[in-house]
Amino acid sequence: MNTIAVSETDAGAPPKRRGWSSTRVWGTILLVPYVLVFLFFVVYPVCYGFWLARDPQSYVQLFEDPIFVRSIFNTLVFLLIGVNLKMMVALLLSGFFLHDRIWIRWLSLIFILPWAVPSIPTILSVRFMLNPEWGVINQLIFRFTAEDGPNWLNDPTLGLTFSILVHIWKSLPFWTLILLSGRLAISKDLYEAASVDGASSVQQFRFVTWPSMKTLYVTCTVLSMIWTLGDFNSVYLLTGGGPADLTHVLATLGIRYLRLDQVNLSMAAIVTALPLVLPLVYFMMRRLSK
């Protein structure tokens, strides 16, 4: 009877209003600045860029420009060769730096410097080395052969090749460290069991290392492709898109149109990169959500 009476009393009482707790209030206060910064520096520029690129005539002019077609080709070459070569070398070097030797530890400190130092001094130093008149490379060629060296960056193929090599050299330490951490996470018991069974080093990599790191390797490759699409330092600081604008990629093509005071074409060039970026982002999010 007491239970029924209490229940009837509770049922007739007005519902209690739930106010915001202090934790929720402070959480909202701390979240508001982030939301405002995100809206102002991310959402607004993106929407404004789409608004500038809204004219269909801009895309007609863009596709009629031969430099745009060449930039798409250069971007695909940059992705297919630069990213895959970089990740394969990073996978090999991660196995090298796994050895516990004192001289390898000191070498790893030197190896990480290109990634740790800002892009402007490192890439410009390579550009100075490739200078045809007073660059150190041509000076060495003249000293040993008594002949003048080539104008390295005056050839579109060599210019794009050196841009890819600079990109690999600059970002290789980062991906090597990521893959090295993946190797360190593999249990040593698996290698000991494989060694007892008589597996060679190649067989241990094939049946132990690679199955354990395949997901990490693919994820890093996709993420590297997304970042490489937005990397304009390797090309712009080394060749400036030259000679004759033949080494531009999509990341630097927008800067070319800005210099020509063609803002609509610059924004259109950025929008045309979305068919390359969005599938990679979607694939990346699908892998991370598993």
Side-chain angles (χ1 to χ4, degrees):
M1 294 296 294
N2 293 334
T3 304
I4 296 175
V6 171
S7 300
E8 292 178 350
T9 304
D10 293 340
K16 296 181 179 180
R17 296 182 179 180
R18 294 184 178 181
W20 281 24
S21 63
S22 60
T23 303
R24 190 175 182 182
V25 171
W26 279 107
T28 304
I29 294 175
L30 295 176
L31 186 63
V32 167
Y34 170 78
V35 174
L36 293 177
V37 170
F38 180 79
L39 292 175
F40 186 76
F41 289 101
V42 178
V43 177
Y44 173 73
V46 170
C47 295
Y48 185 64
F50 279 113
W51 183 79
L52 291 175
R54 70 191 186 280
D55 188 4
Q57 187 63 29
S58 300
Y59 298 94
V60 175
Q61 298 178 15
L62 188 66
F63 281 91
E64 291 177 351
D65 188 356
I67 302 301
F68 172 71
V69 179
R70 180 61 183 255
S71 300
I72 293 179
F73 173 77
N74 292 340
T75 302
L76 294 177
V77 171
F78 210 102
L79 289 176
L80 294 177
I81 297 179
V83 174
N84 287 287
L85 181 60
K86 172 181 60 181
M87 296 308 299
M88 287 189 292
V89 175
L91 182 62
L92 294 176
L93 289 178
S94 64
F96 170 75
F97 287 111
L98 191 64
H99 294 86
D100 189 13
R101 297 179 182 178
I102 186 64
W103 66 273
I104 293 182
R105 294 180 182 178
W106 286 105
L107 184 61
S108 63
L109 295 177
I110 301 175
F111 174 73
I112 204 174
L113 284 178
W115 172 69
V117 177
S119 298
I120 293 179
T122 54
I123 299 178
L124 288 182
S125 64
V126 176
R127 182 171 181 172
F128 295 152
M129 292 170 60
L130 296 174
N131 187 280
E133 298 180 1
W134 40 264
V136 63
I137 295 179
N138 280 5
Q139 288 185 0
L140 292 175
I141 292 176
F142 182 79
R143 177 174 297 181
F144 290 107
T145 64
E147 296 182 359
D148 294 332
N151 191 346
W152 299 101
L153 300 180
N154 198 39
D155 181 85
T157 303
L158 289 177
L160 185 62
T161 300
F162 278 113
S163 298
I164 294 174
L165 293 177
V166 166
H167 169 77
I168 294 174
W169 170 66
K170 190 75 176 66
S171 57
L172 182 62
F174 174 78
W175 297 112
T176 302
L177 290 177
I178 297 298
L179 296 179
L180 177 60
S181 64
R183 284 180 179 266
L184 292 174
I186 302 175
S187 176
K188 295 182 179 180
D189 295 338
L190 299 176
Y191 291 104
E192 293 177 358
S195 179
V196 170
D197 292 338
S200 62
S201 299
V202 176
Q203 291 174 331
Q204 290 182 17
F205 175 82
R206 179 181 178 184
F207 296 105
V208 177
T209 305
W210 177 246
S212 301
M213 294 187 59
K214 181 169 62 175
T215 301
L216 176 63
Y217 183 86
V218 174
T219 303
C220 290
T221 301
V222 175
L223 185 59
S224 177
M225 294 179 71
I226 297 174
W227 288 356
T228 302
L229 282 170
D231 177 26
F232 70 94
N233 293 329
S234 302
V235 176
Y236 193 75
L237 294 178
L238 187 65
T239 67
D245 293 328
L246 294 178
T247 58
H248 274 296
V249 293
L250 290 177
T252 62
L253 187 62
I255 301 177
R256 172 182 180 266
Y257 290 125
L258 285 177
R259 293 170 59 185
L260 297 175
D261 199 20
Q262 296 176 322
V263 181
N264 57 331
L265 293 183
S266 176
M267 294 297 103
I270 297 174
V271 171
T272 55
L274 292 180
L276 292 176
V277 177
L278 293 181
L280 295 175
V281 173
Y282 175 77
F283 182 76
M284 184 72 185
M285 298 305 298
R286 284 289 301 272
R287 295 194 65 86
L288 292 177
S289 62
K290 291 181 179 180

